[in-house]
Amino acid sequence: MDTLDKLDKKDLQILRILQDNARLTTKELAAQVNLSSTPVFERLKRLESGGYIKKYIAVLDAEMLNLGFVVFCRVKLTRLNRDIATEFTRIIQDIPQVTECYNISGSYDYLLKIHAPNMKYYQEFILNVLGTIDSLGSLESTFVMDEVKHEYGIHI
């Protein structure tokens, strides 16, 4: 059974609303889905414990925080096996400038999203942080000139 099949229309409606505004109180959320607070509270707890809701966050403005220079960096490792992949992902988890990391198919092994204040900072980051990873074979950087669309939610 698909995990989406376990959700009814009210559950999906709750998830859609929360993606837009996770700061709603249970009472406000209940009013929007036409239920009382208690069943909405119980549904929220079930959605959280079931893993449908991973966490609640505040979305910050990277430009306002001087971290608006965004780079997508494709990484190819020198070799790839389970131990090397595990070590690489462990290292990446500890690098705060890397905000997203995906294991990808194709010519490269990983795609990283990196936030930096400027090009000079990114150059130093490549030399002093990524460049120190033993398994790193090569990388290719793509610099974001303009963000055209960035949705935080998923279409359900």
Side-chain angles (χ1 to χ4, degrees):
M1 176 184 249
D2 190 84
T3 57
L4 195 56
D5 293 338
K6 296 178 184 176
L7 303 178
D8 65 16
K9 287 181 181 180
K10 291 292 183 185
D11 291 331
L12 293 172
Q13 189 179 9
I14 289 169
L15 292 174
R16 282 187 204 102
I17 292 168
L18 286 176
Q19 283 188 123
D20 188 50
N21 184 359
R23 292 194 72 189
L24 291 174
T25 65
T26 304
K27 184 178 178 181
E28 292 168 329
L29 185 57
Q32 288 193 33
V33 298
N34 298 314
L35 291 173
S36 64
S37 293
T38 301
V40 168
F41 178 79
E42 291 168 357
R43 283 173 182 264
L44 279 173
K45 290 301 163 204
R46 183 173 46 79
L47 291 167
E48 290 167 356
S49 66
Y52 294 96
I53 299 171
K54 289 186 172 191
K55 64 180 170 178
Y56 299 92
I57 63 166
V59 178
L60 307 180
D61 187 317
E63 199 68 43
M64 296 277 298
L65 296 167
N66 195 32
L67 292 170
F69 185 73
V70 179
V71 183
F72 286 96
C73 179
R74 288 171 297 284
V75 173
K76 182 156 188 66
L77 301 181
T78 52
R79 289 185 27 243
L80 188 58
N81 64 37
R82 185 171 308 280
D83 292 339
I84 292 171
T86 300
E87 177 65 8
F88 178 79
T89 56
R90 186 199 59 74
I91 292 168
I92 292 300
Q93 294 291 334
D94 293 334
I95 302 174
Q97 295 89 339
V98 177
T99 58
E100 297 176 45
C101 175
Y102 302 94
N103 180 216
I104 59 174
S105 65
S107 301
Y108 290 89
D109 300 311
Y110 292 91
L111 176 65
L112 311 178
K113 182 178 181 184
I114 299 164
H115 283 265
N118 54 47
M119 177 70 83
K120 184 67 176 165
Y121 181 96
Y122 181 69
Q123 179 186 26
E124 293 296 320
F125 174 77
I126 293 298
L127 296 173
N128 299 318
V129 179
L130 289 185
T132 64
I133 300 173
D134 290 335
S135 60
L136 185 99
S138 63
L139 56 85
E140 182 177 300
S141 301
T142 300
F143 307 104
V144 174
M145 296 190 308
D146 188 25
E147 185 177 276
V148 177
K149 181 178 180 180
H150 187 149
E151 294 288 330
Y152 291 96
I154 54 174
H155 181 73
I156 53 173

